[in-house]
Amino acid sequence: MALLFARSLRLCRWGAKRLGVASTEAQRGVSFKLEEKTAHSSLALFRGDTGVKYGLVGLEPTKVALNVERFREWAVVLADTAVTSGRHYWEVTVKRSQQFRIGVADVDMSRDSCIGVDDRSWVFTYAQRKWYTMLANEKAPIEGIGQPEKVGLLLEYEAQKLSLVDVSQVSVVHTLQTDFRGPVVPAFALWDGELLTHSGLEVPPGL
C-alpha cells in the first residue's frame, strides 16, 4: 500500500510539472524560465531563458516564429509556469535598466496589451528613478526604496497579495491587493538593459 501511494504521489507531481503549474510541495517557491514564444520581438532571452535583454531594433519580424502567444505591441515576456495556489518568492537582478515592470499577469492576458495597462496584471514599475504600483494604467508612487541591484517579489495567492521586497533588508516595501480569478504567471517588461530572474527560492523567514 505504501509503495502504491508513493508511486501515485510521484505521478501527480510529474503531471503538475508537465502542465506547467507550480506545485506547493515543501516550502520552495515556483521555479520558472521565461517563455520565448511569448517574448516581443525586441526582447532576447539569455542564460538558459532566465534572463531577458532589450534591443533597440529587436529581431526582424520574419525571423520570429509567428504564434498567438507572442506579445505584438509591447516589450513583454511571461514565465512558463503558472501559479494557482500557495506562497511563492522570486528575485530579479536589474542590469543597466532605467525603465522596467515586474509582477504577475493572467496567463491569457491580451497579447496586444502591456502588463500594468489592463486590469488582469499587477505590477511594480520603475521609471524616471522612481518606483510605482501599476494596475489598469493607474500609477501610485512607492516610497522607501531606491534602485537596488536586486529586488524580490512575494506572491500570496490565497491572500490575493503581491509584495515588493527589499532584498538587502529582507522586508516588504509595498503590497498590492490583487484580484486573482485563475492561473497567473510571473511577468516582465523592459525598455532598456537586462533583467535576470532567480526562481525556485524559499520564502525568506519573516516574510
Side-chain angles (χ1 to χ4, degrees), residues 32-87:
F32 63 83
K33 291 187 177 182
L34 303 179
E35 187 70 83
E36 192 281 331
K37 67 181 180 181
T38 68
H40 184 266
S41 60
S42 65
L43 302 178
L45 306 187
F46 66 98
R47 196 168 294 186
D49 293 346
T50 61
V52 57
K53 63 178 64 176
Y54 178 80
L56 183 60
V57 177
L59 300 175
E60 294 181 17
T62 56
K63 294 184 179 180
V64 176
L66 296 176
N67 64 76
V68 296
E69 296 297 321
R70 192 175 302 283
F71 282 85
R72 294 175 283 273
E73 302 294 332
W74 298 84
V76 176
V77 61
L78 303 180
D80 63 357
T81 305
V83 173
T84 58
S85 64
R87 301 177 80 238

Side-chain angles (χ1 to χ4, degrees), residues 19-146:
L19 290 172
V21 177
S23 65
T24 55
E25 61 177 291
Q27 297 180 350
R28 200 165 292 278
V30 58
S31 181
F32 63 83
K33 291 187 177 182
L34 303 179
E35 187 70 83
E36 192 281 331
K37 67 181 180 181
T38 68
H40 184 266
S41 60
S42 65
L43 302 178
L45 306 187
F46 66 98
R47 196 168 294 186
D49 293 346
T50 61
V52 57
K53 63 178 64 176
Y54 178 80
L56 183 60
V57 177
L59 300 175
E60 294 181 17
T62 56
K63 294 184 179 180
V64 176
L66 296 176
N67 64 76
V68 296
E69 296 297 321
R70 192 175 302 283
F71 282 85
R72 294 175 283 273
E73 302 294 332
W74 298 84
V76 176
V77 61
L78 303 180
D80 63 357
T81 305
V83 173
T84 58
S85 64
R87 301 177 80 238
H88 303 272
Y89 176 78
W90 61 94
E91 295 178 347
V92 181
T93 297
V94 181
K95 295 184 177 181
R96 300 182 300 278
S97 183
Q98 298 295 320
Q99 189 175 5
F100 60 89
R101 298 175 189 177
I102 54 176
V104 297
D106 280 359
V107 294
D108 59 352
M109 74 167 288
S110 170
R111 285 353 187 216
D112 291 317
S113 185
C114 183
I115 57 173
V117 172
D118 63 9
D119 63 353
R120 303 316 308 158
S121 57
W122 301 265
V123 305
F124 298 101
T125 179
Y126 185 84
Q128 299 176 331
R129 299 184 179 182
K130 294 181 180 180
W131 283 94
Y132 304 86
T133 61
M134 195 168 185
L135 173 63
N137 218 24
E138 294 289 333
K139 293 197 302 184
I142 299 174
E143 303 296 337
I145 185 171

